[in-house]
């Protein structure tokens, strides 16, 4: 049983929604956010990355950053840029990218479902990143970035989404990156009740993206529980802002690797190590940038040449679902033993590049600062859910979801 409830969203007015909508705080640097907000006084980055409105020398975790975020949020509301809905309801959020659409239900998921692992994770989180968003949520008294969740299958939810999104939308706009964003608001309590009942019939939800935001929202809620020992469980701080999509609609892009060094190996020796350690079935030279066609295959660019590399079946056998992932095989069979990259989270000899940047970008980097590039086949939603169901953790940088959910369209006051 999964508990998801409607809420009274704080949302931009139609006049400001396109300017307000912003990419998540953690996909850009402070300098990039400053550049992005030139001429955009109501971009949500003024709240999500409030350091851009302070002196560049300020520490990102300075208390003044969080106070500025709360100040900006209050000012946006007072100026009429944002308004709070008059009733609690569910919303529907569609993103269209390159002709592909994904449509999710916007509501608030229960922190108890997260704590009891009915909202399933596949990624470790860092304490410093958690603390940052805990302070942000607590100081603003609001959750400002939705968690990207998925459900495996629900005909009832799919039917509600199809019916409600056939109506006139509340918002319909295209951001500068060409992605279309469409929002609808549920128009009846009957619809909201159907959605709540349908979620109760599910056994699990899966975090697709936003593990740090989810962990932070939960810990901020637990902090408020401690401050309010008579809590009932129905208070807003017991829930966190989510957009929940059918898993079948989601697309995971490749998350590729750039090797900034080869651990002293020549290119010829490195290729020999690739063949030996991956038990390679084929290592074929390619005429053009090579994108793997299936599982247990990578594209490799080294010495200004492209290769297709297919793993031998013997290296793909593992008991754990997480260990059968291509990125795990690559890490355990090549990156660690051959290149000495034992902790890819911190090792400066490896860089990670979302597939959205394309293969030519990898070639360019190899002419500048990298010695080789590895193109992965995208992890599938089925693999993600299998790892989460088993209670396992994926290797770092296993998934890259596009399009990214925009912050600033929905805010959940706690």
């Amino acid at each position: 049983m999964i508990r998801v409830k409607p809420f009274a969203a704080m949302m931009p007015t139609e006049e400001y929604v396109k300017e307000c909508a912003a990419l998540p705080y953690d996909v850009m640097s402070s300098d990039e956010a400053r550049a992005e907000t030139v001429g955009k006084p109501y971009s949500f980055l003024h709240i999500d990355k409030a350091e851009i409105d302070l002196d560049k020398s300020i520490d990102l975790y300075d208390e003044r950053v969080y106070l500025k975020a709360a100040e900006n949020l209050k000012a946006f509301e007072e100026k009429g840029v944002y308004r709070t809905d008059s009733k609690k309801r569910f919303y529907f959020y569609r993103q269209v990218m390159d002709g592909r659409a994904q449509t999710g239900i916007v509501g608030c998921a229960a922190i108890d479902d997260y704590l009891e692992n009915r909202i399933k994770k596949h990624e470790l989180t860092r304490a410093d990143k958690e603390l940052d968003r805990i302070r942000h949520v607590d100081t603003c008294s609001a959750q400002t970035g939705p968690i990207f969740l998925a459900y495996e299958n629900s005909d009832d939810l799919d039917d509600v989404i199809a019916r409600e999104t056939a109506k006139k939308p509340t918002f319909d706009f295209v951001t500068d990156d060409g992605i279309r964003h469409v929002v609808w608001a549920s128009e009846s309590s009957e619809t909201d009740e159907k959605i709540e009942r349908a979620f109760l019939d599910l056994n699990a939800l899966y975090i697709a993206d936003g593990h740090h935001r989810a962990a932070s929202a939960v810990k901020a809620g637990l902090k408020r529980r401690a401050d309010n020992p008579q809590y009932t469980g129905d208070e807003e701080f017991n829930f966190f802002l989510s957009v929940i999509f059918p898993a079948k609609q989601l697309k995971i892009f490749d998350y590729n690797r750039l090797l900034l060094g080869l651990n002293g190996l020549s290119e010829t020796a490195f290729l020999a190590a690739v063949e030996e350690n991956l038990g390679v079935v084929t290592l074929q030279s390619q005429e053009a940038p090579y994108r793997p066609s299936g599982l247990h295959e990578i594209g490799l660019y080294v010495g200004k040449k492209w290769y297709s590399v297919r793993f031998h079946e013997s290296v793909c056998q593992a008991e754990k679902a997480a260990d059968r992932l291509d990125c795990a095989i690559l890490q355990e069979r090549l990156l660690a033993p051959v290149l000495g990259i034992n902790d890819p989270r911190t090792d400066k000899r490896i860089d990670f590049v979302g597939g959205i940047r394309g293969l030519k970008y990898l070639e360019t980097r190899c002419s500048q600062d990298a010695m080789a590039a590895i193109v992965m086949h995208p992890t599938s939603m089925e693999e993600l859910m299998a790892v989460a169901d088993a209670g396992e953790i994926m290797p770092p940088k296993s998934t890259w979801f596009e399009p990214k959910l925009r912050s600033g369209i929905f805010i959940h006051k706690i």
Side-chain angles (χ1 to χ4, degrees):
M1 294 176 64
I2 298 295
R3 190 178 179 195
V4 180
K5 75 180 196 73
F7 71 112
M10 182 178 173
M11 303 170 70
T13 62
E14 188 172 8
E15 177 185 358
Y16 292 107
V17 65
K18 181 176 178 179
E19 179 179 333
C20 289
L23 286 166
Y25 76 97
D26 52 357
V27 302
M28 65 179 76
S29 68
S30 299
D31 286 341
E32 289 171 331
R34 286 187 177 92
E36 174 65 22
T37 53
V38 172
K40 298 178 181 178
Y42 300 122
S43 167
F44 201 71
L45 291 170
H46 292 285
I47 295 163
D48 250 2
K49 293 184 74 68
E51 72 272 10
I52 66 176
D53 293 330
L54 299 169
D55 189 88
K56 281 189 175 185
S57 64
I58 197 165
D59 185 274
L60 296 182
Y61 306 127
D62 191 292
E63 180 66 17
R64 288 170 291 176
V65 174
Y66 305 102
L67 293 173
K68 187 63 176 178
E71 176 188 321
N72 286 346
L73 182 61
K74 182 179 179 181
F76 283 16
E77 189 170 21
E78 289 176 345
K79 291 177 180 178
V81 176
Y82 278 84
R83 53 156 179 76
T84 300
D85 205 333
S86 59
K87 70 181 290 287
K88 294 182 178 182
R89 67 177 92 222
F90 285 106
Y91 307 84
F92 307 91
Y93 178 26
R94 173 175 295 162
Q95 296 175 296
V96 184
M97 177 181 176
D98 297 332
R100 180 183 64 86
Q102 57 188 39
T103 309
I105 294 172
V106 186
C108 291
I111 67 173
D112 287 318
D113 284 335
Y114 179 98
L115 293 168
E116 295 167 18
N117 205 38
R118 289 184 290 272
I119 295 176
K120 299 190 176 186
K121 310 89 177 166
H122 64 265
E123 185 179 296
L124 295 174
T125 55
R126 285 171 37 191
D128 58 336
K129 291 184 70 174
E130 282 187 23
L131 181 58
D132 169 49
R133 287 299 105 175
I134 291 169
R135 294 174 68 190
H136 193 276
V137 169
D138 205 34
T139 306
C140 292
S141 202
Q143 296 156 358
T144 59
I147 314 306
F148 189 162
L149 300 179
Y151 59 87
E152 187 170 10
N153 184 56
S154 172
D155 291 339
D156 290 340
L157 289 175
D158 293 350
D159 289 345
V160 170
I161 291 173
R163 184 178 64 251
E164 293 300 308
T165 58
K167 301 175 182 178
K168 182 179 179 180
T170 304
F171 301 134
D172 188 346
F173 61 97
V174 177
T175 42
D176 293 343
D177 55 4
I179 296 172
R180 183 182 176 197
H181 305 265
V182 193
V183 173
W184 295 261
S186 169
E187 296 178 352
S188 72
S189 297
E190 180 182 4
T191 296
D192 294 334
E193 290 167 5
K194 286 181 180 178
I195 293 172
E196 285 192 85
R197 287 197 302 270
F199 277 117
L200 288 171
D201 289 338
L202 297 180
N203 294 319
L205 296 176
Y206 298 85
I207 298 179
D209 201 7
H211 281 77
H212 284 94
R213 291 191 294 276
S216 301
V218 169
K219 289 183 178 179
L222 292 176
K223 179 178 181 296
R224 296 214 170 191
R225 283 183 175 183
D227 293 339
N228 298 274
Q230 303 303 315
Y231 75 91
T232 66
D234 291 324
E235 297 88 354
E236 294 298 325
F237 57 72
N238 294 290
F239 300 85
F240 60 88
L241 178 63
S242 305
V243 186
I244 311 169
F245 293 90
K248 61 191 175 186
Q249 291 186 0
L250 302 180
K251 180 175 180 178
I252 303 176
F253 283 68
D254 42 307
Y255 212 156
N256 303 317
R257 277 72 173 144
L258 281 169
L259 305 178
L260 306 187
L262 297 180
N263 206 24
L265 296 176
S266 67
E267 292 168 356
T268 300
F270 174 66
L271 285 171
V274 169
E275 286 198 83
E276 179 180 354
N277 285 57
L278 294 176
V280 170
V281 174
T282 58
L283 193 157
Q284 297 179 344
S285 180
Q286 300 291 328
E287 293 292 328
Y290 186 76
R291 190 178 295 281
S293 59
L295 288 174
H296 307 323
E297 184 182 12
I298 59 173
L300 176 63
Y301 183 69
V302 61
K304 297 183 180 180
K305 295 180 180 179
W306 280 97
Y307 301 87
S308 61
V309 182
R310 182 170 292 280
F311 305 168
H312 191 276
E313 184 179 345
S314 62
V315 307
C316 303
Q317 308 301 313
E319 182 177 345
K320 292 184 177 181
D323 292 341
R324 294 193 294 271
L325 297 174
D326 284 352
C327 51
I329 296 169
L330 183 74
Q331 175 62 35
E332 294 305 313
R333 304 281 304 194
L334 184 69
L335 299 184
V338 174
L339 300 181
I341 299 173
N342 296 305
D343 186 353
R345 289 185 182 85
T346 59
D347 201 302
K348 301 300 184 184
R349 295 170 295 173
I350 189 168
D351 195 8
F352 298 90
V353 180
I356 194 71
R357 287 184 175 268
L359 303 189
K360 285 294 185 181
Y361 175 81
L362 300 179
E363 288 187 346
T364 299
R365 285 288 302 274
C366 285
S367 69
Q368 297 172 344
D369 63 336
M371 294 189 68
I374 298 173
V375 182
M376 309 299 298
H377 186 264
T379 304
S380 68
M381 279 301 298
E382 290 76 17
E383 288 177 308
L384 183 155
M385 291 187 290
V387 170
D389 283 338
E392 298 169 8
I393 299 299
M394 284 186 169
K397 313 298 185 182
S398 298
T399 58
W400 181 281
F401 284 91
E402 287 285 350
K404 302 294 185 188
L405 298 185
R406 270 1 190 228
S407 296
I409 301 176
F410 308 96
I411 299 172
H412 175 221
K413 292 182 175 180
I414 63 169

